[in-house]
Amino acid sequence: MLLTFLATSPTTWSERLSFEIERGLLRYDRWQSLLNGLGVTLQVALGAVLLGVTIGLLLALMRISKFKILKAISATYLSIIRGTPVTLQLLIWWFVVFVPTGLSQLWVAIIAFGVNSGAYVCEIFRGGILAVDKGQTEAGRSLGLSGGKTLGYIVLPQALKNALPSLGNEFIMLIKETSIVGFIGMVDLTRAANMINSRTFAPFVPLISAGILYWGIITILTWLLGSLERRLRKSDNR
């Protein structure tokens, strides 16, 4: 695309680029479409990660439970969700499950991605819980805490700290996975860029701009997560 853009340039490449930026972003305030699409992307990703963390924690507790029925339910959930494409799941939620209810596209997308993310967050939490030394549980019980309080006050806080890097990566992956919400008619960042392309027949500027926005948001999130991890490590060393 870049080579075609430069090769077909009738004038200097800088003049051509200025023209394409004016046509693809500035004319008719098309840049606002990209920002609105970015807002939709962040709303879906944030809602989905909150739902995914809730579902994932519940599933992780079921996975480590002593009750076989809970383990079986959790294992079945993971098998189905992890064994089918997220695009197909999104379409099923929209066209099959919620089409009679009139639920908005935003909420359907949040539910679809949250349910999908929960299967992966489950394994993240389970790994974090199993990484906590068993002596921590024994210490809590020896202090007279019940099993639930030991889990809530001692094990889970340490498990969350262990799982934080992986949870951050899951949030980053969700932001990129939301680029498929156009399948149910939502105008996210990716679809907004493609819509500009369909009107101008010039893909370079809108698509590259969308890529820069994705990269910028993910870079900021990566820095924030790294900063949080460093603070947590410092608190451990005190």
Side-chain angles (χ1 to χ4, degrees), residues 213-232:
L213 288 173
Y214 275 118
W215 173 79
I217 291 297
I218 290 172
T219 299
I220 292 171
L221 284 174
T222 302
W223 179 81
L224 290 174
L225 289 169
S227 178
L228 179 58
E229 288 178 40
R230 287 190 293 273
R231 289 188 179 185
L232 290 175

Side-chain angles (χ1 to χ4, degrees), residues 2 4 22 33 35 46 53 69 75 87 102 113 127 132 148 151 160 192 197 206 221-223 228:
L2 176 59
T4 303
E22 190 279 330
S33 298
L35 292 184
L46 181 59
V53 166
I69 182 65
T87 304
F113 286 107
V132 177
L151 180 66
L160 179 60
N197 172 36
L221 284 174
T222 302
W223 179 81
L228 179 58

Side-chain angles (χ1 to χ4, degrees), residues 98-146:
F98 287 117
V99 69
T101 67
L103 193 66
S104 70
Q105 296 164 319
L106 176 63
W107 282 107
V108 172
I110 289 174
I111 292 171
F113 286 107
V115 168
N116 180 269
S117 178
Y120 298 93
V121 173
C122 166
E123 293 301 282
I124 293 173
F125 272 128
R126 188 172 74 91
I129 292 171
L130 295 179
V132 177
D133 191 274
K134 291 184 178 180
Q136 300 288 321
T137 301
E138 295 171 357
R141 299 306 299 271
S142 67
L143 292 173
L145 296 177
S146 64

Side-chain angles (χ1 to χ4, degrees), residues 12-30:
T12 65
W13 69 268
S14 59
E15 292 175 349
R16 179 68 177 178
L17 180 59
S18 297
F19 172 74
E20 292 297 337
I21 290 175
E22 190 279 330
R23 182 172 64 162
L25 293 180
L26 303 180
R27 190 179 298 177
Y28 306 120
D29 291 332
R30 288 190 172 113

Side-chain angles (χ1 to χ4, degrees), residues 181-197:
V181 295
F183 279 99
I184 62 172
M186 294 186 69
V187 183
D188 69 316
L189 179 54
T190 298
R191 191 172 186 204
N194 198 40
M195 288 173 66
I196 294 174
N197 172 36

